Amino acid sequence: MTRPLPDPGHELFAPFWAGTLEGRVLVQRCDTCATPRWPVRPICPQCHAEGFSWHELPDRGVLHTWTVVWHRTIEELPPPYAVGIVEVGGVRVVGGVVDCPFDQLRVGMRLRPVFQAVTPEVTLVQWAPASPGRATEHQKARAAEEEK
C-alpha cells in the first residue's frame, strides 16, 4: 500500500499543487468581493460570484488549534504526528506541524510553511515554527524583489 496522495491534475486544485512545487502556497480570491477562499471551490461562499484568481499566502501563519495523532490510521504515516489548523492570509488551512516537540505547540504560535516533495508531481505543505533566517529560497527571492 502506498501513501494516499492528492491528484495534482484536479481541475480546481491544479494551480495550488503547481504553486507548492515552487515553494508557494496559493489560494483563490474572489474577483468580485476579494474574499480569499480555501478549500478551493467554483463559487464564492461570500457573494456567490464565479470569478476568481490565485494569490500567494503570506509566509507566516498562526496556529489556531492542533491535535496529536497517536494511533496508526495509514500504514505509511507512523504516529505520533501533529496536525494543525493554521490561520494565514484570511483562511484556515490544515497541515502537518513539524520540527516542534508536541509539548511546545501553543495556540497563537507563529508558523511558516515548509514543503515536502513526495513525488516529482506532489509537494505537500507542512508547518514549522517561524524563526528568523529559515526562509525558503522562494521567500528569500520574494523579499529581495520587494526591497527593489
Side-chain angles (χ1 to χ4, degrees):
M1 182 175 172
T2 61
R3 179 179 181 168
L5 294 174
D7 174 7
H10 185 281
E11 177 184 357
L12 287 176
F13 286 86
F16 171 81
W17 294 114
T20 64
L21 291 174
E22 299 171 352
R24 303 182 316 142
V25 182
L26 304 175
V27 297
Q28 294 174 326
R29 183 177 297 153
C30 178
D31 290 338
T32 302
C33 71
T35 298
R37 59 188 193 234
W38 184 260
V40 298
R41 53 189 77 129
I43 296 173
C44 177
Q46 187 70 30
C47 74
H48 307 288
E50 293 183 16
F52 64 88
S53 51
W54 289 90
H55 293 270
E56 186 171 0
L57 289 178
D59 61 4
R60 296 290 186 268
V62 176
L63 186 59
H64 176 73
T65 191
W66 78 93
T67 190
V68 176
V69 177
W70 294 99
H71 300 281
R72 185 180 301 259
T73 57
I74 298 173
E75 186 64 30
E76 292 75 22
L77 294 176
Y81 55 91
V83 177
I85 297 177
V86 179
E87 294 181 18
V88 57
V91 296
R92 290 182 179 169
V93 297
V94 176
V97 181
V98 297
D99 300 336
C100 185
F102 303 144
D103 63 351
Q104 293 180 20
L105 292 170
R106 299 286 182 265
V107 169
M109 73 184 295
R110 304 275 296 159
L111 299 174
R112 63 185 172 80
V114 293
F115 300 90
Q116 176 192 16
V118 291
T119 72
E121 299 82 25
V122 175
T123 294
L124 301 177
V125 180
Q126 302 201 60
W127 297 87
S131 59
R134 295 191 63 181
T136 66
E137 288 304 312
H138 171 74
Q139 292 162 345
K140 290 176 187 174
R142 185 173 64 188
E145 193 64 34
E146 289 173 357
E147 289 177 5
K148 291 180 182 178

